[in-house]
């Protein structure tokens, strides 16, 4: 194999040092906040049994699952008839494992398998890659990290309120100041469907109104009609579609009135009110929180609150989302467990921070200092310096090979190492080393003690 | 699906909170030391093209690769003849991607693909899971983390010496005090084969002498004969096999004499001497470092130094290993790049630390404090407390649901939360809260200010 036809599968990525340092900044910020809110870490295997994965993400999701070919003679026991039956049937015979598609289903599977050891309510966070055989396109990858936090086994709406607190702390920690947390409730959507005389049709309703931002009121109404909503329903829905402005209190008042005949709808409004009350008690400003009764986010899933975060000042989709699903583990045989979760999208946050120039300039720094040397003897002397620097906890390196000083300085430059300590015969004799500040181009003569003091 | 037939694929694992907290301790210790030595982070995708992976790990390794079934109609273009040709031929037609088997090959692939952007010598670390379709058994898994550091593009033996420094710092950081770093050099093994009149047969020689610890001298000599080594060779080899004791200096002197007619062998000895010199200059004690001229570790790979670490006081295999391979990237079309690397085995280190009781007792702590409450009103009051604690950076949580105090205390107990802050009507009135120390069973009455002070 030669260098020019080398590659990686489409839709997946390498992350070089600069990207990694930035990604780590984001991940560790998220993780620290999760920990502060007392979420416990969990990791599940990349591979799950296909029986765990299939049927959980809808038909479309099933098709996006990566399957792992059984090891050994995977054709043993596969008849020619199976082969002729086509890929779909055949896949079930030769690939019993698949790569996880998200972190929620493995979490639910874990909870059910370990239900007797777990202390409920169980608050766990999980930061791992997931895989989807999606058509790769800008911003959509086949391998990407999810950063999830979920609570299972609590009905308390404080969980929802705390997720909003977490969002605020994470984004503040990353310097993302302009963002909006949208909140809705599935019961409100159910209520709206009832109120417009289209009970049970909230899914269709949501698919149409989800495009309000993009295509405008007129086209949304047209789509509603095409989806079989009556003229009467469309007209009744209009106040909902045009109520997008106003304060949260005004929206709540509007919904309370609009949904006055829907018990479910009013329950949804009451839940939203309770969350807003908790936010006040938790001292979380309401300015960035926006009740949006058209927010749906994969409706099939959620039964209570629905959350979504978008950054301002950039045209990038949501950087996180979540909500409550009342029967998280029911599909695995443990009914009655309410779950509520939130997931940050690492790639989207990265894109936002890059677009807004929020990454610190110095984030590519690896070492604080490079020890450079003129010959074998000064190299050996330099080893003692590097050893002392590291003993003092200073990230540092010595240029490993014999090379011209220019090459060594160039190395420091390219790696953004801010200081170079030059070791030559004069330095060895006096014990004072020339320290070059690479950004300013200045140099000064310092003892090892002074160097440690300066670099720390 | 019901709870009782739920499972995960054999050979892979879930890591619950306690294991995760411990694993994270190990990983972050390793990572911090890698960073201190100025290694830069890299991540590569889980999936690589099969053409990248195959032929790199020997025939046995190829069979352990997990293959990913192509998405969509993977049977399009596959003829019945392909099906009849059997699994091996068929796999090549329906699975063009596979899961990475280690981190070295993806690293080499990355270096070649990015050779024009990389600043050499390139020092990178990579901490990610790898997958192998091995037969699962105690201590051997199908998914496990590798923690690798490699330098590519430097011939300097300071890299080897620094790895020994890294090993010392990592294990000191984890509290593993009793360990041995074994070191050898491929050229010494080549030299020995020459010296015993079996030039070029070092692989066979090593396979046999690798068992010296387990089966003893006599049986090793028998095996050498069975492998076709002459009586003369076996006798000539005896001094090597019995030279396992003595200081490193004595062993070096012995090898210098034993290998006096092998140019390659003497080169190997000189390299070992140079590394020992660097260790002295780096102020790394020699007490835990042991020259072992029978150390081989997958010989096919290494061309220079060979390193291995074992913990004392436990019967657990090596917890890390590495060495130099002169032509790391040659297989991908970039010849002449020397690489040297070291890999820590997370699972083995975990097992050692567990066996030696080295994990801190408090390592399962999630939150420092739980806010417990008696009713709706004290719950709401508690929200303000939790908000203040978190503002002060204290990891804490409030019991989310309305429940008996006993249940809330039990929750804190099971989760090892050291302090419970009780909020009742008296507490709300006076602003002094009952704080229960869960390990001592004592309680005292503190203001919020005092609580913050105590918990920080």
């Amino acid at each position: 194999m030669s260098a020019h036809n080398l590659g990686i599968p489409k839709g997946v990525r390498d992350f070089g040092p600069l990207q990694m340092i930035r990604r780590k900044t984001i991940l560790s910020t998220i993780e620290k906040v999760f920990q502060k809110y007392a979420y416990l870490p969990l990791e599940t295997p990349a591979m799950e049994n296909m029986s765990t994965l299939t049927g959980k993400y809808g038909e479309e999701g099933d098709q996006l699952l990566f399957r792992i070919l059984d090891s050994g003679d995977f054709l043993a026991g596969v008849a020619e008839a199976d082969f002729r039956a086509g890929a779909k049937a055949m896949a079930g015979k030769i690939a019993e494992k698949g790569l996880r598609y998200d972190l929620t289903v493995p979490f639910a599977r874990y909870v059910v398998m370990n239900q007797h050891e777990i202390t409920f309510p169980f608050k766990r966070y999980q930061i791992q890659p997931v895989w989807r055989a999606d058509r790769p396109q800008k911003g959509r990858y086949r391998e990407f990290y999810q950063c999830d936090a979920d609570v299972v086994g609590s009905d308390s709406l404080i969980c929802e309120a705390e997720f909003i607190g977490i969002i605020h702390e994470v984004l503040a920690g990353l310097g993302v100041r302009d963002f909006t947390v949208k909140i809705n409730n599935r019961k409100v959507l159910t209520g709206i469907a009832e109120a417009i005389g289209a009970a049970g049709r909230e899914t269709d309703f949501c698919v149409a109104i989800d495009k309000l931002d993009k295509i405008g009121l007129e086209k949304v109404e047209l789509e509603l009609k095409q989806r079989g909503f009556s003229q009467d329903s469309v007209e009744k829905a209009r106040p909902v579609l045009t109520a997008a402005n106003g304060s949260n209190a005004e929206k709540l008042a509007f919904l309370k009135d609009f949904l006055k005949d829907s018990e479910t709808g009013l329950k949804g409004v009451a839940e939203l009110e309770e969350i807003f009350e908790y936010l006040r008690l938790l001292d979380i400003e309401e300015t960035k929180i926006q009740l949006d009764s058209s927010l749906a986010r994969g409706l099939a899933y959620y039964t209570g609150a629905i959350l979504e975060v978008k950054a301002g000042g950039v045209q990038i989709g949501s950087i996180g989302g979540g909500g409550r699903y009342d029967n998280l583990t029911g599909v695995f045989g443990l009914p009655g467990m309410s779950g509520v979760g939130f997931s940050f999208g690492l790639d989207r946050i990265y894109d936002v921070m890059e677009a807004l120039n929020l990454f610190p300039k110095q984030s590519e720094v690896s070492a604080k200092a490079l020890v450079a040397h003129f010959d074998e003897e000064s190299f050996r002397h330099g080893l003692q310096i590097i050893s002392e620097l590291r003993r003092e906890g200073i990230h540092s390196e010595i240029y490993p090979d014999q090379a011209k000083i220019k090459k060594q300085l160039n190395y420091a430059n390219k790696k953004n190492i801010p200081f170079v300590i030059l070791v030559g015969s004069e330095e060895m004799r006096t014990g004072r080393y020339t320290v070059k500040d690479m950004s300013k181009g200045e140099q000064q003569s310092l003892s090892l003690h002074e160097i440690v003091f300066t670099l720390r």
Side-chain angles (χ1 to χ4, degrees), chain A:
Chain A
M1 183 178 285
S2 72
H4 68 272
N5 56 20
L6 209 53
I8 51 176
K10 62 179 177 179
V12 302
R13 297 162 289 169
D14 288 318
F15 298 105
L18 177 58
Q19 286 164 297
M20 276 303 293
I21 290 168
R22 292 175 168 187
R23 286 167 66 90
K24 279 170 171 293
T25 306
I26 299 171
L27 291 179
S28 78
T29 303
I30 293 171
E31 184 169 23
K32 277 180 199 150
V33 177
F34 284 163
Q35 288 172 346
K36 190 165 158 188
Y37 280 75
Y39 284 79
L40 294 167
L42 175 74
E43 279 189 13
T44 61
M47 299 174 189
E48 295 277 352
N49 292 328
M50 284 303 292
S51 57
T52 298
L53 299 175
T54 44
K56 310 304 185 300
Y57 307 105
E59 206 175 310
E60 205 188 324
D62 280 358
Q63 283 170 15
L64 300 184
L65 292 170
F66 277 113
R67 291 159 177 269
I68 294 165
L69 204 53
D70 295 340
S71 19
D73 183 9
F74 59 87
L75 289 181
V78 178
E80 265 193 45
D82 297 316
F83 174 73
R84 280 191 222 107
K88 210 169 168 181
M90 179 92 169
K93 304 256 172 189
I94 62 176
E96 63 175 23
K97 297 181 289 293
L99 294 177
R100 63 172 169 255
Y101 174 94
D102 71 358
L103 304 177
T104 309
V105 165
F107 171 56
R109 192 262 312 142
Y110 174 86
V111 168
V112 176
M113 278 178 71
N114 297 279
Q115 55 184 289
H116 302 298
E117 289 77 48
I118 290 172
T119 309
F120 292 99
F122 182 44
K123 297 167 74 175
R124 87 86 177 77
Y125 75 86
Q126 189 168 352
I127 298 176
Q128 289 189 284
V130 302
W131 295 271
R132 297 181 186 176
D134 242 324
R135 188 186 304 275
Q137 48 180 274
K138 193 182 172 332
R140 183 179 294 171
Y141 305 103
R142 293 185 146 193
E143 175 181 53
F144 57 96
Y145 271 75
Q146 287 194 331
C147 313
D148 284 21
D150 289 81
V151 189
V152 65
S154 169
D155 293 318
S156 173
L157 299 174
I158 187 62
C159 307
E160 279 86 338
E162 288 198 341
F163 281 129
I164 296 174
I166 287 172
I167 293 162
H168 276 74
E169 289 204 36
V170 164
L171 295 179
L174 294 172
V176 179
R177 276 167 224 293
D178 181 8
F179 62 90
T180 306
V181 183
K182 289 188 176 189
I183 182 166
N184 195 15
N185 191 299
R186 164 65 179 261
K187 298 184 183 83
V188 166
L189 291 164
T190 305
I192 291 172
E194 286 175 18
I196 65 171
R201 298 208 50 209
E202 63 259 39
T203 306
D204 264 358
F205 181 73
C206 288
V207 171
I209 66 169
D210 206 32
K211 300 171 189 161
L212 191 59
D213 276 358
K214 284 181 200 149
I215 63 176
L217 180 65
E218 214 167 309
K219 285 192 178 153
V220 165
E221 294 195 340
L222 191 68
E223 182 161 342
L224 283 170
K225 280 179 216 161
Q226 282 164 351
R227 286 178 177 268
F229 286 84
S230 69
Q231 180 63 31
D232 182 53
S233 290
V234 171
E235 272 165 31
K236 280 184 175 155
R238 195 164 301 147
V240 175
L241 300 181
T242 53
N245 297 312
S247 72
N248 293 324
E250 284 162 2
K251 286 180 198 162
L252 284 169
F254 163 77
L255 285 174
K256 237 180 194 167
D257 180 57
F258 190 78
L259 300 171
K260 62 181 178 293
D261 298 323
S262 162
E263 198 186 326
T264 308
L266 289 177
K267 178 92 177 37
V269 175
E271 288 184 10
L272 285 167
E273 285 180 323
E274 190 175 336
I275 293 170
F276 278 108
E277 187 204 348
Y278 290 156
L279 291 173
R280 281 188 294 276
L281 288 165
L282 289 170
D283 208 13
I284 297 167
E285 277 189 274
E286 215 185 293
T287 50
K288 295 193 166 75
I289 302 158
Q290 188 185 312
L291 169 55
D292 178 352
S293 54
S294 72
L295 181 68
R297 282 190 74 83
L299 194 68
Y301 217 67
Y302 299 117
T303 54
I306 304 169
L307 290 169
E308 183 171 272
V309 188
K310 282 196 175 175
V314 280
Q315 287 300 323
I316 290 169
S318 76
I319 56 179
R324 184 175 285 273
Y325 27 97
D326 265 342
N327 199 7
L328 173 64
T329 56
V331 67
F332 293 125
L334 180 63
M337 276 278 177
S338 186
V340 52
F342 190 83
S343 181
F344 286 101
L346 170 61
D347 291 303
R348 291 284 180 80
I349 295 177
Y350 190 102
D351 291 346
V352 165
M353 290 182 65
E354 194 165 50
L356 298 176
N357 242 316
L358 293 175
F359 288 113
K361 276 245 171 73
Q362 291 301 315
S363 70
E364 52 263 67
V365 169
S366 55
K368 274 218 118 168
L370 173 77
V371 175
H373 41 86
F374 290 86
D375 51 25
E376 292 270 351
E377 199 191 346
S378 57
F379 172 72
R380 278 164 171 74
H381 187 94
L383 291 182
Q384 295 164 275
I385 296 177
I386 201 80
S387 168
E388 176 64 16
L389 292 180
R390 288 181 183 146
R391 202 174 295 122
E392 296 289 341
I394 296 164
H395 295 201
S396 49
E397 61 180 315
I398 183 164
Y399 194 84
D401 300 284
Q402 297 303 317
K404 293 212 168 102
I405 284 292
K406 199 182 159 190
K407 189 175 180 185
Q408 299 183 53
L409 289 174
N410 200 24
Y411 174 84
N413 225 358
K414 279 195 185 155
K415 286 187 77 177
N416 261 313
I417 299 173
F419 294 97
V420 174
I421 301 164
L422 290 149
V423 184
S425 53
E426 181 65 14
E427 280 85 357
M428 288 189 280
R429 197 178 57 74
T430 61
R432 295 191 70 81
Y433 307 92
T434 306
V435 178
K436 196 174 163 78
D437 180 327
M438 296 300 282
S439 59
K440 296 185 192 154
E442 293 163 4
Q443 53 188 49
Q444 49 183 334
S445 178
L446 300 174
S447 70
L448 184 48
H449 185 76
E450 290 164 338
I451 291 174
V452 168
F453 187 80
T454 307
L455 295 184
R456 258 211 311 220

